[in-house]
Amino acid sequence: MAKNLLIVESPAKAKTIEGYLGKDFTVKSSYGHIRDLVKSDDAINIASNFEQKYEVPADKKAIVSELKKLAKEAETVWLASDEDREGEAISWHLFETLGLKDATTKRIVFHEITKPAILKAIDNPRKIDYNLVNAQQARRVLDRLVGFELSPVLWKKVKPSLSAGRVQSVAVRLIVDREREINKFNAEAAFRIAATFGKGREAFKAELSERYSKQDDAEKFLTDCVPATYKVNSLDTKPAKRSPAAPFTTSTLQQEASRKLGFSVSRTMQVAQKLYEAGKITYMRTDSVNLSDTAINAAKAQIISAYGDQYYTMRKYKTKSASAQEAHEAIRPTYFDVHTVDGDNSEKRLYELIWKRAIASQMSEAQFEKTTAKIGIYTRKEELTANGEVMKFDGFLKVYLESRDDEDNEQDDDNSMLPPLAVGQVLTLSEMTATERYSRPPARYAEASLVKKLEELGIGRPSTYAPTISTIQNRGYVVKEDRDGRTRDFRVLTLKGGNINKETRTENTGAERNKLFPTDIGAVVTDFLVQYFNGIVDFHFTADVEEQFDKIAQGLEEWTDMIRKFYQPFHIEVENTLKVADRATGERDLGVHPESGKKISVRIGRYGPFVQVGDNATEEGDEKPLYASLRAGQMIETITLEDALELFKLPKKIGFFEEKDMTVAIGKFGPYIRHNSAFYSLPKGIDPLDVTEPQAIEIIEAKRVKDAERLIKTFDENPEVKILNGRWGPYIEFEKLNVKIPKGKEPLELTFDEVKALADATPKDVKKGRFGKAAPKAAAAKAPAAKKAPAKKAPAKKAAPKKK
DNA sequence: CAGTGAGCGAGCTTCCGCTTGACTT
């Protein structure tokens, strides 16, 4: 048995370190935290100085008992969890749970997984830092108190199962606030003047810095320019440079992978995890931009051999964010001489991105020559400005240039090249335009830009960015989706060949892809929290408590004092809110019905937001109000009276076909026709309110023809059972159930009995199965069922109801 | 991809951070 047991947090890290240390060391991993507060409400005893009740969760039991056994056998246990608040606490929990002894336990830390760093750490052991542990306890207890006192308030005052917390509630608030800014925003239009001089290769653009809000002024300018001549008044050339960005942290990797590869935040982390486990990159959950000396030297060798000396500049980066804990290196390739990796396409692309960013971070700056030409107009006092940029030395941009075409299509016209010009030179105008341009509202958050904002505010940690984004979507506070824009007109005046031409063009505005939108519930919960718990959802709350955690970590403050000071007023607020706050439904009056004069209002109900026409029926015989659910994209706070009334026009009967009604309605996936319990989606461009009977019949028949084309096979035993060609290959349609055909089965050769068996094996109760909550239950049921009799019962039960 | 929406009541939900698998269509 090895004399030494060394424990780190991650198994991949353990493997690497084991290779550095030889056979005197057994290196194991704790898989993160091994203990947590018990799930129940008595986890923290407030009366007894916030004493905590911890437990080892079920999925950590096995690893804890293994570590316990190894620790007993070892002479020395080395606690090598990360050097930050959480890492120190992990070491402490290990110490307590494994029953370690002070004399035979050593705490070591390193910021990078390199052999010299590990050896140096082993030469410099220390004791567990209890101040740091206390700071973590304060963090943990505060989050539990906030989360588990606030959430129940929402259950009572808004809706069951909702949640609130220090991090998620601010994330939602950011999105709600931004949506309101966008709604409030008034776009202002102004005319922008642009001129093109010269022809062909010599052509270049110049712009006027002034904007005209009135068309008359823009037109006057163009009219004045009709007889004008143009001359270069001045030329100014000066050098400019651009420096590379720091190597990736979790947050910048998520942003860049989103922009350049279109990855969601969680996809980025999944792919990065694979690369990390394969030993291709360093740890992917980090807030540090630091590179180890080993890495800097490896990058240097790579840059000099591939591009030459002049491309290398040693750079050390400093983290800007105050909340960073820097327990790891920046994200970088483990080996800089590995330019590509095996694996699927996304792994290759993400690795390439990481490699380029890390290499570029040690390269020379790019140098440019920027030229500004001021162009005089004989008939006006204003000058036009043309900008040109010439690259003198590519520097770090060399690394990006290689694959620029497919990953970077943002071309800034402003900085294209200028032809050779001289002061006093007379220019020939080929065209001048005055284009009406609208100011743009603030941008909606996408996943990655929300992470960026949270990081700036110091809220959340690298390991929680992706889960936080999922939580606020799972709770229904926020949806990620595409939305169509609206068309709007803009005017363009063009001066060409001495004539001014006026036209109106249209553009699409406000279209969004993969953006985060608040839901009504998100808005109502945010308003509620802002009203009653402003301190918690304040954007500076985390930064403020972090400051106090730091004081605790430095031994300047007692953690229980800090928590007490926070908790006492907070708890009073909770009690008070429970007493005084009304139920929050987001109710808003839209006015009265134009014909009947009945009251029209919107609010959140049991099944989501809806419109109500007429008052509640209070007595027997009262007329009942009408209801209609809001559609995707509609919100209580922005819906208009007209849109609300539209909701009552559908579903609508549009005629008869084959002795059955046809109705048209709008569902989750857009407008559709319902006929004989089947759905037929309406082709784009047809207004569901205008669909005629013959049109509907045509749509139904067209869908049938298409389905017939997809048909592969039917069965004599039951003509309703079909094998069809779907988007992802052939599948079986069995009594409204879509059944996947297992790999290796030829669909044409399947017999009816085989098909039936496949259908019976497909769970029917998992509706339209997304990876839902059914999964953990099935897993839990599996273990005991595997033993004997009950195992046979389950499938028999399932098959029975399907027979009829 | 329906239409639904009052109030009652049992028993459930919930936080943030640190780690990976083991599930599902």
Side-chain angles (χ1 to χ4, degrees):
Chain A
M1 200 57 236
K3 281 193 271 184
N4 297 285
L5 171 65
L6 191 146
I7 304 172
V8 293
E9 291 178 35
S10 146
K13 207 192 259 187
K15 226 172 79 186
T16 314
I17 295 174
E18 194 146 49
Y20 295 149
L21 289 180
K23 53 183 181 313
D24 278 350
F25 279 83
T26 302
V27 185
K28 286 284 168 185
S29 129
S30 71
Y31 291 81
H33 274 293
I34 53 149
R35 281 208 303 194
D36 193 15
L37 293 174
V38 295
K39 288 241 162 35
S40 49
D41 285 342
D42 60 350
I44 298 162
N45 187 341
I46 287 146
S48 174
N49 227 0
F50 304 99
E51 192 187 320
Q52 307 121 84
K53 227 192 245 180
Y54 284 108
E55 69 177 351
V56 177
D59 57 332
K60 290 290 168 65
K61 289 247 157 77
I63 183 71
V64 166
S65 58
E66 191 197 353
L67 290 175
K68 225 181 231 175
K69 186 169 151 270
L70 291 169
K72 242 184 206 139
E73 294 163 358
E75 282 173 23
T76 307
V77 177
W78 303 78
L79 299 175
S81 48
D82 296 346
E83 189 186 22
D84 57 19
R85 210 159 58 201
E86 298 297 327
E88 203 67 21
I90 287 174
S91 278
W92 173 71
H93 281 303
L94 283 166
F95 187 89
E96 296 274 307
T97 312
L98 305 182
L100 304 182
K101 301 257 163 24
D102 224 16
T104 55
T105 304
K106 290 176 173 168
R107 166 82 172 118
I108 57 167
V109 292
F110 34 81
H111 300 252
E112 52 189 64
I113 313 300
T114 57
K115 194 169 178 179
I118 308 289
L119 295 177
K120 194 176 156 204
I122 287 182
D123 284 340
N124 296 285
R126 60 169 171 82
K127 294 285 165 200
I128 290 173
D129 179 347
Y130 282 90
N131 288 332
L132 205 49
V133 173
N134 287 339
Q136 193 272 347
Q137 309 239 66
R139 199 280 305 157
R140 181 68 191 91
V141 166
L142 179 122
D143 282 336
R144 167 59 67 90
L145 290 173
V146 169
F148 275 41
E149 295 219 3
L150 234 40
S151 301
V153 176
L154 296 182
W155 304 344
K156 292 199 185 75
K157 299 295 180 184
V158 186
K159 199 181 135 175
S161 299
L162 294 177
S163 63
R166 175 177 56 86
V167 173
Q168 58 169 283
S169 297
V170 176
V172 175
R173 183 182 180 184
L174 283 167
I175 292 164
V176 171
D177 282 4
R178 179 58 54 90
E179 192 68 21
R180 288 180 176 155
E181 279 175 53
I182 294 169
N183 289 338
K184 252 190 358 215
F185 185 81
N186 274 325
E188 283 172 11
F191 286 85
R192 214 161 73 182
I193 309 277
T196 309
F197 292 101
K199 284 209 173 90
R201 294 186 155 233
E202 301 276 277
F204 67 96
K205 276 203 161 171
E207 282 205 13
L208 187 72
S209 57
E210 288 90 346
R211 304 280 150 91
Y212 296 106
S213 50
K214 290 198 198 108
Q215 184 179 343
D216 287 351
D217 294 336
E219 196 174 342
K220 171 83 165 46
F221 189 92
L222 293 197
T223 313
D224 286 350
C225 286
V226 172
T229 54
Y230 306 89
K231 193 178 78 179
V232 177
N233 281 351
S234 71
L235 272 174
D236 182 25
T237 300
K238 52 183 170 198
K241 53 197 178 185
R242 205 146 98 201
S243 299
F248 283 130
T249 60
T250 302
S251 133
T252 54
L253 177 69
Q254 288 170 346
Q255 291 157 43
E256 198 79 337
S258 162
R259 279 194 293 261
K260 291 198 167 167
L261 310 178
F263 286 3
S264 72
V265 158
S266 73
R267 171 120 184 263
T268 298
M269 295 313 282
Q270 281 167 20
V271 176
Q273 176 89 26
K274 278 194 177 171
L275 291 170
Y276 168 66
E277 283 169 12
K280 305 295 184 197
I281 59 168
T282 55
Y283 198 56
M284 64 282 155
R285 293 189 273 263
T286 177
D287 51 21
S288 169
V289 286
N290 189 52
L291 293 176
S292 68
D293 291 341
T294 323
I296 289 179
N297 285 331
K300 175 181 182 180
Q302 197 52 222
I303 293 163
I304 291 176
S305 79
Y307 312 114
D309 276 344
Q310 71 276 30
Y311 280 92
Y312 175 72
T313 301
M314 207 263 277
R315 294 169 190 280
K316 295 216 170 185
Y317 294 89
K318 285 246 163 64
T319 308
K320 275 184 227 139
S321 136
S323 62
Q325 306 199 3
E326 307 207 55
H328 304 96
E329 275 190 79
I331 303 170
R332 64 159 172 94
T334 322
Y335 306 106
F336 281 94
D337 51 355
V338 177
H339 292 222
T340 53
V341 293
D342 300 332
D344 64 28
N345 208 23
S346 43
E347 286 167 53
K348 286 195 166 97
R349 293 169 73 201
L350 192 70
Y351 180 82
E352 194 185 349
L353 199 62
I354 292 168
W355 186 88
K356 284 178 174 174
R357 175 89 164 211
I359 280 278
S361 80
Q362 293 299 311
M363 290 178 72
S364 309
E365 54 201 16
Q367 289 167 20
F368 302 89
E369 198 176 78
K370 280 199 163 169
T371 303
T372 305
K374 297 274 184 195
I375 296 157
I377 305 164
Y378 194 73
T379 49
R380 299 279 298 204
K381 62 179 193 320
E382 295 93 339
E383 287 181 318
L384 298 162
T385 307
N387 289 309
E389 192 177 83
V390 178
M391 198 197 289
K392 289 296 187 188
F393 176 62
D394 52 0
F396 77 95
L397 288 177
K398 193 171 198 78
V399 179
Y400 284 108
L401 271 175
E402 285 158 3
S403 52
R404 183 170 188 137
D405 285 345
D406 52 358
E407 71 182 19
D408 201 356
N409 42 16
E410 52 171 60
Q411 267 291 6
D412 22 320
D413 279 349
D414 296 3
N415 290 328
S416 49
M417 293 231 297
L418 290 182
L421 296 172
V423 175
Q425 183 177 338
V426 173
L427 301 167
T428 316
L429 180 77
S430 71
E431 185 182 278
M432 188 181 288
T433 55
T435 310
E436 190 177 28
R437 283 282 154 222
Y438 291 85
S439 56
R440 286 154 57 131
R444 273 198 187 78
Y445 286 108
E447 287 190 351
S449 53
L450 181 65
V451 168
K452 183 181 180 191
K453 183 69 184 175
L454 288 172
E455 189 188 37
E456 282 168 12
L457 294 169
I459 298 171
R461 303 280 312 132
S463 67
T464 60
Y465 295 139
T468 300
I469 301 269
S470 305
T471 300
I472 61 176
Q473 293 179 62
N474 292 339
R475 295 270 176 276
Y477 293 145
V478 162
V479 286
K480 180 172 95 172
E481 58 190 27
D482 301 345
R483 289 202 188 159
D484 295 334
R486 264 188 299 211
T487 54
R488 96 185 140 193
D489 291 341
F490 68 102
R491 291 164 288 182
V492 183
L493 315 178
T494 309
L495 161 62
K496 198 170 183 179
N499 298 314
I500 294 173
N501 175 38
K502 293 183 219 174
E503 59 179 327
T504 300
R505 296 185 199 167
T506 58
E507 62 182 349
N508 201 13
T509 177
E512 296 278 28
R513 253 183 62 75
N514 269 333
K515 291 286 162 54
L516 299 172
F517 296 84
T519 63
D520 285 301
I521 270 286
V524 167
V525 166
T526 297
D527 288 342
F528 185 87
L529 294 174
V530 168
Q531 183 179 351
Y532 295 102
F533 299 98
N534 195 31
I536 306 290
V537 289
D538 188 286
F539 297 119
H540 300 109
F541 176 61
T542 290
D544 290 346
V545 291
E546 280 291 341
E547 228 171 78
Q548 303 180 54
F549 296 153
D550 283 347
K551 278 195 186 141
I552 297 166
Q554 291 163 37
L556 301 174
E557 187 166 1
E558 199 71 42
W559 80 266
T560 46
D561 288 346
M562 182 239 150
I563 292 295
R564 189 172 303 109
K565 269 184 238 160
F566 162 76
Y567 182 75
Q568 279 174 350
F570 170 70
H571 184 69
I572 291 169
E573 293 281 290
V574 169
E575 296 288 328
N576 185 48
T577 305
L578 286 172
K579 228 182 286 166
V580 306
D582 290 327
R583 269 194 82 82
T585 62
E587 177 158 359
R588 188 166 83 88
D589 281 343
L590 292 181
V592 294
H593 194 283
E595 284 148 30
S596 68
K598 283 178 183 163
K599 187 180 121 178
I600 299 180
S601 62
V602 273
R603 68 175 188 276
I604 292 179
R606 256 195 292 179
Y607 314 106
F610 71 103
V611 189
Q612 173 171 346
V613 179
D615 290 315
N616 287 337
T618 48
E619 279 171 44
E620 192 93 3
D622 279 0
E623 202 182 335
K624 284 191 175 166
L626 292 172
Y627 306 108
S629 293
L630 262 59
R631 295 205 181 110
Q634 291 181 328
M635 278 186 78
I636 288 176
E637 57 188 84
T638 49
I639 194 169
T640 60
L641 184 62
E642 293 77 50
D643 286 344
L645 289 174
E646 285 285 310
L647 294 173
F648 291 92
K649 294 186 180 166
L650 291 173
K652 173 173 120 176
K653 273 188 196 172
I654 46 169
F656 254 138
F657 179 53
E658 292 175 349
E659 298 174 15
K660 300 269 184 180
D661 275 333
M662 294 184 294
T663 21
V664 63
I666 294 185
K668 229 184 191 171
F669 312 127
Y672 65 94
I673 297 164
R674 204 181 155 94
H675 174 252
N676 197 10
S677 76
F679 299 96
Y680 303 87
S681 31
L682 277 191
K684 268 209 165 169
I686 299 186
D687 187 334
L689 287 173
D690 297 340
V691 181
T692 60
E693 185 171 321
Q695 242 179 337
I697 294 171
E698 204 180 301
I699 288 164
I700 291 171
E701 283 176 336
K703 168 93 179 340
R704 287 179 180 172
V705 171
K706 263 199 165 170
D707 283 350
E709 283 168 2
R710 290 168 42 218
L711 189 69
I712 302 178
K713 185 174 173 156
T714 53
F715 297 91
D716 296 337
E717 290 90 337
N718 184 348
E720 296 294 303
V721 176
K722 297 166 188 164
I723 300 183
L724 296 156
N725 248 328
R727 253 184 88 182
W728 298 288
Y731 67 97
I732 302 161
E733 204 177 273
F734 196 103
E735 294 172 0
K736 289 186 184 175
L737 193 70
N738 287 350
V739 181
K740 198 180 163 183
I741 297 176
K743 267 182 195 159
K745 291 271 182 193
E746 183 55 50
L748 275 175
E749 288 165 11
L750 284 170
T751 66
F752 183 73
D753 287 340
E754 282 176 313
V755 165
K756 194 169 174 314
L758 283 171
D760 285 346
T762 307
K764 214 176 191 175
D765 48 333
V766 183
K767 218 182 172 185
K768 282 275 170 192
R770 296 298 305 165
F771 315 144
K773 301 195 170 156
K777 259 189 198 164
K782 219 177 174 181
K787 283 209 165 173
K788 44 181 183 183
K792 277 206 166 177
K793 229 177 172 182
K797 234 183 189 172
K798 252 183 203 166
K802 248 177 233 169
K803 285 210 164 137
K804 55 171 185 172

